[in-house]
Amino acid sequence: MLGSKKIYLFVLAGILLFSCKSKKDVYLFTSFNEPASAGLRLLYSHDAYHWTDLNHIFIKPEVGDAKIIRDPSIEQGPDGIYHLVWTTGWKNDTGIGYAESADLIHWSPEQHINVMADEPTAVNAWAPELFYDDTQKQFIITWASTVPFRFAKGEEDENNNHRLYYTITKDFKTFTPAKLFLDPGFSVIDPEIIKIAEGKYVLVMKDNTRPNRNILVAFSDNPLGPYTNYSKRFTEMYSEGPTITKAGKNWLIYYDSYRLKKFGCMRTTDFKTFTNIADSVSVPQGHKHGTIFKVNEKTLKNLKLAAASTAN
C-alpha cells in the first residue's frame, strides 16, 4: 500500500512539473531582414539566449511612401491586444506605422500616424518604441526625429542631429501632440524604456554622435523622465537598436553590431556593470533591430502553425 502511495505521489509530481513547464512563457523577438520591404518576422526562444526564426512574414508593409517595416516594436496591452509600431521611411517621412492583433497572426488594417505633424521642418521619425505605463494606464510611444537647427550638434549634419520625442495614447485612436522626450546634449536615437522595479526606470539608447555610435543607459523614477545618471558607453562602436529582456536574475541587452554584421549581447544585474556575452547567444543571421516580449506556449504553437501553412 505504501509503495502504491509513493508511485502516486511520483506520478502527481511529474504531472505538476509538466504542467508548470507547459505554462512557461516563451520569448519573442520582433525582426526584419533586408530588404525592409518584406515585412515583420518573429524569432522565438525558450531561454532568451538561443533564438530561432519562424521564417514567416506576419505582416507586409502597406503604409508610408517607402512601404517598409523597420525597427518593429510590439507591446501587449492589459486587454491582451498586441500593438505594433514601426519605421515607415528613412527620410521625408514624419509618421510611423501602426497595426494591432489579438493573436500576432491576423492584423488590423495598417495606419500611418504622422507623429511629427506639428513640426513642419522635421526630417524623419525613426525607431518608434512602445511602453505600457501600468501606473497611469497608458501607452508611451518614443522615437527619434531631427528638427534642423534646433539643437547643438557635433560632427553630424543638421539633417542627422536627432533628439527623442514622445506621444501618449490609451486607445491608439487619439494621441497627444508630440513633445520632446530627451535632449541629452548629443544626437540620440533608438530609445527603449524598461521598468526594472516599482518606481524605477531605465532608458537604453544609442549615442548617435560621431565618433561614438554606441549604447548607454540613464535612470529615472518616472517613465517620462527626466532621465539622469548617464552611464558610460558600454558597447563597441557601430552598435544600435538595443532591446532588453530579463532572464532569471539577469537583464540581457541585445543590440545590432552592424559593422560586425551580427547581434551583440550584454548581461547586467544593475545596469551599472556590463558583461559581454555575445559568444554565448545565438541569433539568426540577417536579423535586424527589434524588441523582445513574452507569450505563452499556446501562442507560439499557433505561430508555428501559421508559419508552416504558408511558405515565405
Side-chain angles (χ1 to χ4, degrees):
M1 188 72 178
L2 184 59
S4 298
K5 186 175 182 180
K6 285 184 177 179
I7 293 173
Y8 170 76
L9 291 174
F10 178 77
V11 171
L12 180 61
I15 292 172
L16 290 173
L17 180 61
F18 177 80
S19 177
C20 289
K21 285 186 176 180
S22 67
K23 293 181 180 178
K24 190 175 181 180
D25 284 341
V26 178
Y27 299 87
L28 288 186
F29 204 153
T30 64
S31 177
F32 74 97
N33 288 3
E34 300 289 2
S37 56
L40 172 70
R41 306 172 73 93
L42 293 172
L43 316 182
Y44 71 91
S45 174
H46 293 281
D47 62 6
Y49 291 85
H50 304 92
W51 297 88
T52 302
D53 194 338
L54 283 165
N55 197 28
H56 181 76
I57 301 300
F58 288 91
I59 179 171
K60 296 181 179 181
E62 297 176 353
V63 296
D65 291 341
K67 299 292 188 296
I68 61 171
I69 286 181
R70 303 185 70 88
D71 322 317
S73 171
I74 290 178
E75 182 85 348
Q76 188 177 28
D79 58 358
I81 298 298
Y82 297 96
H83 302 275
L84 166 69
V85 294
W86 67 91
T87 303
T88 56
W90 275 109
K91 58 183 179 179
N92 301 321
D93 185 342
T94 56
I96 61 174
Y98 171 74
E100 62 183 47
S101 173
D103 58 8
L104 299 171
I105 299 168
H106 305 94
W107 291 88
S108 67
E110 298 172 30
Q111 298 178 46
H112 189 249
I113 304 168
N114 192 355
V115 290
M116 293 295 280
D118 294 335
E119 294 286 356
T121 63
V123 174
N124 57 357
W126 280 2
E129 286 285 348
L130 283 167
F131 176 79
Y132 182 68
D133 181 357
D134 57 6
T135 301
Q136 298 298 321
K137 311 299 181 188
Q138 60 191 12
F139 289 90
I140 301 169
I141 308 175
T142 54
W143 67 92
S145 285
T146 290
V147 180
F149 304 103
R150 179 165 296 177
F151 300 101
K153 70 178 186 67
E155 299 176 32
E156 290 70 48
D157 182 89
E158 281 293 347
N159 288 338
N160 194 39
N161 187 26
H162 293 80
R163 295 302 186 269
L164 302 182
Y165 293 82
Y166 78 97
T167 183
I168 291 172
T169 184
K170 292 189 175 184
D171 56 11
F172 290 89
K173 296 177 182 177
T174 59
F175 301 84
T176 61
K179 291 183 179 180
L180 184 67
F181 180 74
L182 183 72
D183 172 17
F186 53 84
S187 182
V188 58
I189 64 173
D190 297 349
E192 184 166 335
I193 304 167
I194 298 296
K195 183 177 182 178
I196 59 172
E198 204 60 43
K200 292 184 178 180
Y201 301 87
V202 172
L203 180 68
V204 187
M205 65 198 119
K206 177 190 177 182
D207 178 346
N208 202 42
T209 58
R210 277 60 179 159
N212 288 317
R213 288 173 281 187
N214 44 17
I215 295 165
L216 71 156
V217 300
F219 302 86
S220 181
D221 58 6
N222 187 308
L224 290 175
Y227 285 87
T228 58
N229 299 323
Y230 292 79
S231 73
K232 293 181 179 179
R233 282 63 175 163
F234 55 82
T235 63
E236 65 272 17
M237 286 178 60
Y238 310 115
S239 51
E240 64 185 11
T243 188
I244 306 90
T245 193
K246 195 171 188 183
K249 295 181 180 179
N250 296 309
W251 293 93
L252 307 181
I253 304 175
Y254 280 90
Y255 59 93
D256 189 348
S257 188
Y258 56 94
R259 276 290 177 92
L260 298 178
K261 299 186 184 305
K262 69 174 188 178
F263 247 70
C265 188
M266 292 286 179
R267 183 178 65 208
T268 184
T269 57
D270 57 8
F271 290 92
K272 295 177 182 178
T273 58
F274 304 89
T275 302
N276 189 331
I277 62 165
D279 291 339
S280 299
V281 303
S282 58
V283 180
Q285 191 70 27
H287 167 65
K288 301 287 288 182
H289 184 164
T291 53
I292 300 172
F293 61 105
K294 291 182 180 181
V295 299
N296 57 34
E297 286 280 5
K298 182 179 179 181
T299 299
L300 176 61
K301 180 181 178 181
N302 290 337
L303 290 170
K304 287 182 175 180
L305 290 172
S309 68
T310 306
N312 284 282

